[in-house]
Amino acid sequence: MHSLTKRASSSHVVDTKIGAMTSFDRWFLSLMESFVKEKEDKEFILATIGFTCWGIWKERCTAIFSKKIIVVQEAIGRIRASISEFLSLKKALSSFVFVPRVRQQQEDFWSAPPRDWIKINCDGSFLPTNGNASIGVVIQDHHGRLIDGLNREIKAESALVAEAWAVLEGINLAVEKSRKANSAADWVASQTITRKCCQDWVSRPPSSLVHILNKDGLLAPPSFYRD
C-alpha cells in the first residue's frame, strides 16, 4: 500500500460508528467520498485495490491448482502491469467520442433466390421471464412458392440461442427435403451397382421408379403411359 499513501496521503482521523458499517465496500466508498477529492486519485486507488485483490486471488489459484511456486516480486510486477495497462487504456478511451449509430427505418421485403434454388427463412422468439421460446422456418423456391416449413416450441437460454436453433432446424429440414427429392437418383444408383437397372430406364422406367416419381410429384415419360 506504499504507492497508495504516496498518491493520497492524509492525516485524517476516521471516527466510524459500528452500526453504520453495513459492508466493507460501502464503508470504503464513503471514505473515498469524504477524503479523496480528485477524480484521478479515486480512479488510481480503486484500480490499485481492485487489481491487487484480483492478482492475489489469481496467484493463489495458480499455486493451489497448478502446483506452481509463486515468486512474490514477479507477482507484484504482474499486478502493477495490469494496473498500468488499465489506467492507460482508460485514459486513451476517454479521448474518443462515441457516436451512436442510428438505424434507418426501412421495410424489409422478401427477395427471391436464384433460379432453381430454394431460400430458407428462419426466426426465433424468446420470453426471458420463463425461458419459453419458439422457432419458425419457411422454405420457398425462386417463384416464392411455399415448399415446406415448421414451427416448434423450445426451451432456450436467450433470444440468440432461439435464433440459432431456428437456423439449425431450417438446415435439417432442407437436408431432409433434398434427400426425399433425391430418392429417384438414389434408386437408379442402387439398381445400377447391383446390375438390376435396365438400359432404357429413362424412356421406359420400371413401375418401382414410376412410383417414386409420382411420390415426388413428377410424371413418368409419356412412353410409359402409352404402354
Side-chain angles (χ1 to χ4, degrees):
M1 298 293 290
H2 178 65
S3 58
L4 289 182
T5 55
K6 287 173 60 180
R7 288 292 299 268
S9 60
S10 65
S11 58
H12 292 285
V13 177
V14 181
D15 183 14
T16 305
K17 295 181 180 179
I18 300 298
M21 295 178 60
T22 56
S23 63
F24 173 78
D25 56 338
R26 292 180 181 177
W27 172 76
F28 180 76
L29 290 176
S30 67
L31 290 182
M32 292 279 292
E33 292 295 329
S34 301
F35 302 122
V36 184
K37 302 302 181 182
E38 296 294 333
K39 180 181 178 182
E40 183 180 353
D41 288 338
K42 288 182 180 180
E43 292 179 350
F44 175 79
I45 293 173
L46 290 175
T48 300
I49 294 177
F51 277 99
T52 300
C53 294
W54 175 75
I56 293 173
W57 175 259
K58 187 178 179 181
E59 298 294 339
R60 176 248 184 203
C61 292
T62 301
I64 293 176
F65 299 108
S66 300
K67 307 299 182 183
K68 292 184 178 180
I69 299 176
I70 304 301
V71 180
V72 176
Q73 293 301 324
E74 293 180 359
I76 294 175
R78 286 189 287 268
I79 293 174
R80 286 178 174 173
S82 299
I83 297 170
S84 177
E85 183 179 0
F86 171 77
L87 293 175
S88 298
L89 182 60
K90 194 174 187 301
K91 184 177 180 181
L93 290 176
S94 64
S95 61
F96 285 92
V97 178
F98 295 94
V99 180
R101 182 180 178 183
V102 180
R103 184 177 181 181
Q104 296 181 350
Q105 296 294 330
Q106 60 180 10
E107 295 186 31
D108 294 327
F109 296 98
W110 184 85
S111 58
R115 183 178 180 82
D116 297 327
W117 285 72
I118 62 172
K119 188 171 187 177
I120 309 171
N121 289 97
C122 313
D123 202 0
S125 180
F126 174 71
L127 293 176
T129 54
N130 53 15
N132 289 340
S134 60
I135 60 173
V137 177
V138 175
I139 301 179
Q140 295 167 275
D141 63 11
H142 65 278
H143 293 296
R145 291 177 298 201
L146 181 63
I147 298 176
D148 208 341
L150 63 83
N151 63 296
R152 187 173 302 160
E153 292 184 356
I154 63 171
K155 282 287 185 181
E157 291 77 23
S158 64
L160 183 62
V161 173
E163 293 186 2
W165 195 280
V167 173
L168 178 61
E169 290 296 325
I171 295 174
N172 290 337
L173 183 60
V175 171
E176 181 183 352
K177 196 73 177 176
S178 65
R179 286 174 179 172
K180 290 182 179 178
N182 201 44
S183 54
D186 180 68
W187 181 92
V188 173
S190 60
Q191 293 295 309
T192 301
I193 199 170
T194 57
R195 301 181 184 275
K196 295 179 181 179
C197 188
C198 54
Q199 294 297 324
D200 57 346
W201 64 270
V202 175
S203 58
R204 301 176 63 87
S207 58
S208 55
L209 178 57
V210 172
H211 174 72
I212 296 175
L213 293 173
N214 288 335
K215 189 176 179 181
D216 288 342
L218 303 174
L219 296 176
S223 59
F224 176 83
Y225 298 101
R226 287 198 299 268
D227 295 340

